[in-house]
Amino acid sequence: MSSFKMQFQKELKDKLIQKSSDKISQEACLVKMFKFFDSNDLGHVEFSQFLKSMEKIGFQYEEELMRGIF
């Protein structure tokens, strides 16, 4: 795995954990994170939702890179 991908994963995890409560289980935290990305509450995440969610937490990269991450 490239150093960029590793750094990106760490930063994303850290930002998402900051958005959640420290008093919930890891499973509950993952569910909460998914719901953050699934803004339409349809049980799946579309690329446009992914982009908007990533921008909300401060990640703005070129679309090609974001598609690869998605």
Side-chain angles (χ1 to χ4, degrees):
M1 184 179 302
S2 74
S3 62
F4 173 79
K5 285 183 182 179
M6 289 173 36
Q7 180 64 27
F8 180 85
Q9 285 180 340
K10 181 184 179 323
E11 287 180 37
L12 178 59
K13 180 181 175 185
D14 291 346
K15 284 187 179 274
L16 291 172
I17 288 172
Q18 286 173 353
K19 296 273 185 196
S20 68
S21 169
D22 292 334
K23 298 179 181 181
I24 61 175
S25 70
Q26 186 174 18
E27 181 179 315
C29 182
L30 289 172
V31 169
K32 188 173 182 178
M33 285 185 229
F34 180 80
K35 288 182 178 186
F36 174 76
F37 283 97
D38 182 20
S39 58
N40 295 338
D41 198 29
L42 296 175
H44 65 275
V45 178
E46 296 174 358
F47 182 67
S48 61
Q49 293 171 294
F50 174 73
L51 281 180
K52 286 178 187 174
S53 297
M54 295 298 282
E55 288 174 3
K56 282 182 186 178
I57 58 175
F59 285 94
Q60 295 180 354
Y61 296 101
E62 293 178 14
E63 185 173 326
E64 183 178 331
L65 177 61
M66 295 303 278
R67 283 194 184 279
I69 293 166
F70 181 70

